């Protein structure tokens, strides 16, 4: 509430206020008449600097402190502000002040570097966002040019990047100060570091104020010697950004347009920047060296990325440098439904992040990574897995591998591999019981958490009426079957049904967004059943439940057969559709043949099954809604 985490426009207002105060306070430096007038008084330059500085600071401090104090008084009167959150609230106010100062000082620094009001305002915004934008730009370069790049879901960043962001990015430091000050466990060091950065920028701005000449008023830059450096720093990322922007209009055409437009843009930007400097079209090629460096810089970056000169996509650590490895497959996304206890994230990739999923027996997993690199060299990339006609997506799937190096660092890569290779690797990993328990979502819950059990099969959706002890026994029996099942079974056979466990509600404590507690209902689905799950099936029989594995043709009231355009119906269809994609089925023999090809699910643990198959829509007796069933190909 104090720093705008519930109202982001408030944080933008602080940013704009910091820039406005800096620009208005030092605007006289950019006007020759006013600059001469003010500096004609018998005051030292440092005094003029402090007069403008204090004025801009008070414009923020007085309303901000008054508003914060009123907010805290009202919160205390309503019982919201109590002893446990009083200190965090005070720290939040302190963080808001420091956040303003980092922006204010950066904007003042921009005014010291420039000689025109417009260029000073633009420079203020550029300095505030420059590092953050450059970081995003180069992240975009990596994700565009490197096919094996994988960014962890939880946004893991290296300590070096975080440190540079806090030093070089006023925007990142501002966000840290205003959003996370009250909850930062390393608060003393963090605040001392922020104060040091703020003081450093102030000292630099003060030094430049005393060094800038009065004649610089009216010029684009106050220090002409910096023109070439600033030109390079603007032209290179600006050209690459324009290349990405122009490429966004050319979908799925590779990287050629990024390269073309980036090179074109850097040439134009060099001329435009020189024109801003000189206001003379005849001098747009004045600083040829800096222009040449900018062009070479853009071409060099694009060449390194396009040709992968540093071998990013083909990198593979030595086995001796690896402590352990972890695996995640794209096929898990539809096959597994993990229980999510993290209310701030919609998905959790346990198999890449959890310690128990990091295996030290990684020979087959290492070979899988080698296969992925080999496939990459043949043009098989995860992004075009379902678009490239050179290989069949039914036989391949995407995986992500985590290399945990002996030096403590973790590196991620994404590859395309054969489903059979993935299955063999998965089979080896599952020889360890601990890995099986981490792989299957059923091991993430306990029997006393289960509220309701629903049994799904090809015909019915049946809520099971079970006691608490029976639910726990059923879960244990299912877990026992998971520990014993042959992993190849989960790839080669079709499931005959599945469970869905609705878990007991979890109470989410009230927070800044709610004034009361909420109940969070969790349901775990896709707990598949196979005909070899003897423990589970036996227990279901004891409880009076059985699984239906086929549909009786006599129960069918109506059926419609649909052929997808991508399917070769000459080899897979029972009915001649000609140019029609969907037809009703009335012949009893045709209905029977189609029902013989229906299955409960086509999902495979290692992927490799094309779920975009022909299907039937069936209306059954006693039901008001239709059912859709995928069809197996004809043998």
């Amino acid at each position: 509430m104090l720093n705008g985490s519930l109202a982001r426009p408030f944080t933008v207002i602080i940013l704009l206020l910091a820039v406005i105060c800096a620009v208005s306070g030092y605007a006289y430096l950019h006007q020759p008449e006013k600059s001469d007038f003010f500096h004609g008084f018998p005051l030292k330059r440092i005094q003029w600097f402090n007069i403008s500085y204090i004025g801009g600071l008070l414009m923020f401090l007085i309303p901000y402190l008054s508003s914060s104090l009123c907010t805290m008084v009202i919160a205390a009167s309503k019982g919201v502000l109590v002893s446990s959150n009083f200190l965090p609230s005070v720290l939040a106010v302190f963080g808001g002040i420091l956040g303003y100062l980092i922006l204010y000082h950066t904007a003042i620094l921009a005014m010291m570097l420039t000689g025109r009001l417009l260029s000073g305002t633009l420079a203020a915004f550029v300095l505030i966002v420059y590092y953050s934008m450059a970081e995003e730009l180069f992240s975009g370069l990596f994700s565009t040019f490197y096919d094996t790049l994988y960014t962890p879901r939880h946004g893991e960043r290296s300590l070096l990047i975080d440190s540079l962001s806090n030093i070089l990015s006023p925007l990142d430091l501002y966000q840290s100060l205003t959003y996370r000050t009250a909850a930062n466990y390393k608060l003393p060091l963090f605040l001392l570091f922020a104060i040091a950065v703020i003081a450093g920028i102030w000292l630099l701005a003060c030094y430049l104020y005393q060094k800038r000449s009065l004649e610089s008023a009216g010029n684009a830059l106050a220090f002409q010697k910096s023109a070439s450096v600033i030109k390079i720093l603007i032209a290179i990322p600006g050209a690459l950004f324009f290349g990405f922007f122009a490429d966004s209009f050319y979908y799925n055409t590779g990287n050629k347009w990024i390269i073309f437009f980036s090179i074109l843009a850097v040439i134009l930007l060099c001329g435009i920047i020189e024109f801003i400097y000189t206001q003379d079209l005849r001098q747009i090629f004045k600083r040829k060296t800096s222009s040449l460096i900018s062009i070479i810089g853009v071409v060099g970056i694009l060449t390194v990325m396009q040709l992968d000169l540093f071998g990013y996509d083909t990198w593979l650590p030595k086995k001796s440098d690896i402590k352990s490895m972890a695996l995640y497959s794209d096929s898990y996304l539809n096959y597994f439904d993990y229980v999510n206890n993290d209310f701030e994230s919609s998905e959790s990739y346990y198999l890449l992040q959890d310690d128990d999923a990091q295996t030290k027996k990684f020979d087959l997993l290492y070979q899988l990574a080698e296969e992925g690199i080999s496939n990459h060299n043949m043009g098989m990339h995860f992004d075009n897995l379902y678009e490239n006609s050179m290989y069949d997506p039914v036989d391949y799937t995407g995986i992500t591998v985590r290399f945990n190096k002996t030096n403590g660092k973790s590196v991620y890569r994404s590859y395309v591999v054969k489903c059979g290779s993935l299955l063999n690797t998965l089979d080896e990993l599952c020889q360890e019981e601990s890995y099986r328990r981490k792989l299957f979502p059923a091991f993430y819950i306990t029997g006393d958490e289960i509220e309701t059990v629903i049994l799904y099969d090809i015909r019915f959706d049946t809520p099971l009426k079970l006691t608490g002890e029976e639910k726990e026994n059923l879960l244990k029996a299912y877990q026992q079957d998971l520990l014993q099942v042959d992993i190849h079974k989960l790839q080669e056979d079709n499931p005959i049904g599945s469970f869905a466990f609705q878990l007991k509600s979890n109470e989410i404590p009230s927070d800044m967004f709610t004034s009361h507690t909420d109940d969070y209902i969790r349901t775990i689905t896709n707990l598949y059943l196979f005909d070899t799950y003897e423990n589970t099936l036996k227990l279901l029989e004891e409880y009076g439940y059985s699984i239906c594995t086929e549909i009786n043709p006599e129960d069918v009231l109506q059926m419609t057969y649909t052929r997808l355009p991508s399917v070769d119906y000459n080899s897979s269809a029972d009915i001649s559709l000609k140019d029609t994609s969907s037809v009703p089925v009335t012949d009893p023999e045709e209905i029977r043949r189609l029902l013989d090809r229906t299955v409960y699910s086509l999902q495979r643990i290692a992927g490799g099954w094309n779920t975009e198959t022909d299907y039937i829509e069936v209306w059954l007796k006693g039901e008001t809604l239709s059912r859709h069933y995928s069809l197996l190909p004809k043998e």
Side-chain angles (χ1 to χ4, degrees):
M1 293 174 64
L2 296 168
N3 289 328
S5 61
L6 292 179
R8 293 301 175 91
F10 180 73
T11 61
V12 176
I13 289 174
I14 294 180
L15 188 153
L16 293 175
L17 182 62
V19 174
I20 291 172
C21 288
V23 171
S24 61
Y26 296 92
Y28 67 90
L29 292 175
H30 295 181
Q31 303 173 44
E33 309 85 20
K34 291 186 177 181
S35 180
D36 293 338
F37 174 76
F38 282 110
H39 289 102
F41 286 92
L43 293 175
K44 295 181 180 180
R45 285 200 172 192
I46 187 63
Q47 292 176 295
W48 281 118
F49 180 87
N50 288 333
I51 289 172
S52 297
Y53 175 80
I54 294 173
L57 182 59
L58 292 178
M59 288 180 188
F60 168 78
L61 279 182
I62 293 174
Y64 180 71
L65 288 175
S66 300
S67 301
S68 298
L69 179 60
C70 291
T71 302
M72 294 174 68
V73 169
I74 295 172
S77 67
K78 299 294 184 181
V80 176
L81 182 64
V82 294
S83 58
S84 61
N85 60 22
F86 175 77
L87 180 59
S89 297
V90 174
L91 291 175
V93 174
F94 186 52
I97 296 173
L98 293 180
Y100 171 82
L101 288 178
I102 188 69
L103 299 178
Y104 183 47
H105 289 185
T106 303
I108 293 174
L109 179 62
M111 294 297 289
M112 299 303 109
L113 291 171
T114 57
R116 295 185 194 141
L117 196 61
L118 179 60
S119 59
T121 305
L122 293 175
F125 286 108
V126 169
L127 286 179
I128 289 172
V129 304
Y130 185 85
Y131 180 84
S132 299
M133 294 295 293
E135 186 179 326
E136 291 297 324
L137 174 63
F138 281 92
S139 296
L141 282 171
F142 272 72
S143 62
T144 299
F145 286 91
Y146 293 149
D147 302 301
T148 63
L149 176 72
Y150 174 81
T151 303
R153 268 309 160 95
H154 294 285
E156 293 181 1
R157 305 204 314 173
S158 69
L159 181 62
L160 175 62
I161 292 178
D162 282 333
S163 300
L164 289 176
S165 295
N166 285 331
I167 296 173
L168 301 177
S169 175
L171 185 62
D172 282 359
L173 187 54
Y174 165 65
Q175 291 177 332
S176 297
L177 287 167
T178 54
Y179 292 164
R180 294 185 288 272
T181 297
N184 198 308
Y185 296 105
K186 300 178 180 178
L187 189 60
L189 291 177
F190 174 68
L191 290 181
L192 288 175
F193 170 79
I195 293 172
V197 173
I198 292 169
I201 298 176
W202 185 90
L203 290 173
L204 178 59
C206 186
Y207 173 79
L208 293 177
Y209 184 95
Q210 299 183 69
K211 291 297 181 181
R212 61 177 287 143
S213 63
L214 297 179
E215 291 76 13
S216 62
N219 297 326
L221 296 177
F223 303 93
Q224 293 300 317
K225 292 182 179 180
S226 64
S228 296
V229 175
I230 293 175
K231 177 182 175 181
I232 294 171
L233 293 176
I234 293 176
I236 293 178
L240 293 172
F241 175 81
F242 182 80
F244 275 104
F245 175 76
D247 180 70
S248 64
F249 295 96
Y250 299 88
Y251 176 72
N252 200 25
T253 57
N255 302 325
K256 59 183 180 181
W257 290 114
I258 295 179
I259 297 173
F260 172 76
F261 283 113
S262 296
I263 295 175
L264 177 62
V266 72
I267 296 173
L268 295 175
L269 277 174
C270 288
I272 292 172
I273 293 172
E274 285 296 339
F275 177 74
I276 293 175
Y277 287 167
T278 63
Q279 297 289 304
D280 189 349
L281 286 174
R282 294 171 297 180
Q283 299 189 47
I284 59 174
F285 301 110
K286 179 180 179 181
R287 297 173 179 82
K288 296 183 177 62
T289 301
S290 59
S291 297
L292 184 60
I293 292 175
S294 299
I295 295 172
I296 292 175
V298 171
V299 173
I301 291 173
L302 294 174
T303 300
V304 169
M305 293 290 183
Q306 180 67 17
L307 301 180
D308 193 10
L309 296 182
F310 293 120
Y312 183 94
D313 283 330
T314 57
W315 174 86
L316 192 65
K318 297 179 180 179
K319 285 187 177 181
S320 57
D321 294 334
I322 301 176
K323 180 181 179 180
S324 61
M325 294 177 65
L327 170 69
Y328 181 84
S329 171
D330 185 51
S331 61
Y332 299 166
L333 188 61
N334 295 320
Y335 193 84
F336 291 130
D337 180 19
Y338 288 102
V339 179
N340 182 21
N341 294 314
D342 182 2
F343 300 117
E344 297 179 356
S345 174
S346 59
E347 286 183 280
S348 296
Y349 281 64
Y350 299 101
L351 299 178
L352 285 177
Q353 308 301 336
D354 199 281
D355 292 338
D356 292 338
Q358 317 301 311
T359 178
K360 295 183 179 181
K361 299 178 180 179
F362 52 77
D363 286 341
L364 273 183
L365 185 49
Y366 190 87
Q367 294 177 19
L368 196 65
E370 290 178 322
E371 179 184 327
I373 294 175
S374 177
N375 290 338
H376 169 270
N377 294 336
M378 293 189 294
M380 298 183 183
H381 309 148
F382 182 81
D383 289 339
N384 61 4
L385 179 59
Y386 301 104
E387 298 174 1
N388 198 328
S389 60
M390 69 179 293
Y391 56 96
D392 190 349
V394 172
D395 298 328
Y396 292 85
T397 189
I399 65 168
T400 299
V401 176
R402 176 179 178 178
F403 302 94
N404 300 306
K405 304 179 70 176
T406 53
N407 61 9
K409 294 182 178 180
S410 295
V411 182
Y412 300 81
R413 289 292 188 272
S414 293
Y415 305 110
V416 172
V417 298
K418 285 189 174 181
C419 298
S421 302
L422 171 62
L423 183 64
N424 292 333
T425 303
L426 190 58
D427 184 47
E428 181 190 62
L429 294 175
C430 286
Q431 299 304 315
E432 296 182 5
E433 181 179 323
S434 60
Y435 192 86
R436 284 197 183 229
R437 291 181 176 274
K438 188 55 57 178
L439 176 66
F440 292 100
F443 291 103
Y444 288 82
I445 59 177
T446 58
D448 57 0
E449 292 182 275
I450 301 174
E451 180 74 32
T452 305
V453 179
I454 303 176
L455 176 63
Y456 296 92
D457 56 37
I458 198 170
R459 180 67 174 83
F460 302 104
D461 305 341
T462 309
L464 306 186
K465 298 180 180 179
L466 304 174
T467 65
E469 183 180 357
E470 290 173 336
K471 294 173 187 176
E472 186 167 354
N473 291 337
L474 185 62
L475 176 63
K476 290 181 178 179
Y478 183 71
Q479 291 174 339
Q480 187 63 32
D481 287 326
L482 290 177
L483 293 176
Q484 298 173 352
V485 67
D486 183 354
I487 296 300
H488 287 84
K489 174 79 174 179
L490 308 183
Q491 179 72 12
E492 297 164 0
D493 293 350
N494 297 306
I496 59 175
S498 70
F499 285 131
F501 292 161
Q502 181 176 310
L503 307 182
K504 295 178 181 178
S505 60
N506 268 10
E507 186 179 89
I508 305 177
S510 60
D511 56 17
M512 65 177 67
F513 297 98
T514 59
S515 59
H516 59 279
T517 57
D518 291 328
D519 288 336
Y520 178 71
I521 306 299
R522 300 172 297 162
T523 301
I524 177 172
T525 61
N526 295 348
L527 300 171
Y528 292 113
L529 292 165
F530 289 83
D531 54 13
T532 56
Y533 284 12
E534 296 180 357
N535 297 299
T536 305
L537 297 178
K538 180 180 178 181
L539 202 58
L540 283 174
E541 290 288 344
E542 291 180 8
Y543 295 157
Y545 299 98
S546 59
I547 295 181
C548 180
T549 57
E550 59 182 18
I551 299 175
N552 192 333
E554 284 72 24
D555 291 336
V556 177
L557 295 175
Q558 184 180 342
M559 178 184 293
T560 299
Y561 171 73
T562 300
R563 171 182 56 84
L564 297 184
S566 60
V567 178
D568 182 8
Y569 66 89
N570 290 323
S571 62
S572 65
D574 284 300
I575 306 169
S576 177
L577 298 180
K578 297 182 180 180
D579 296 329
T580 306
S581 60
S582 182
V583 295
V585 183
T586 57
D587 182 74
E589 186 61 25
E590 291 177 345
I591 291 176
R592 185 192 62 77
R593 288 202 304 268
L594 288 172
L595 290 177
D596 288 343
R597 289 173 51 204
T598 61
V599 292
Y600 172 73
S601 174
L602 293 177
Q603 296 296 336
R604 299 292 190 270
I605 191 172
W609 188 270
N610 187 3
T611 57
E612 295 185 357
T613 63
D614 295 354
Y615 66 89
I616 55 174
E617 185 176 9
V618 182
W619 285 262
L620 299 172
K621 293 179 181 179
E623 298 184 4
T624 57
L625 299 177
S626 63
R627 293 171 174 260
H628 291 75
Y629 295 100
S630 299
L631 298 177
L632 293 170
K634 292 179 62 178
E635 296 181 358

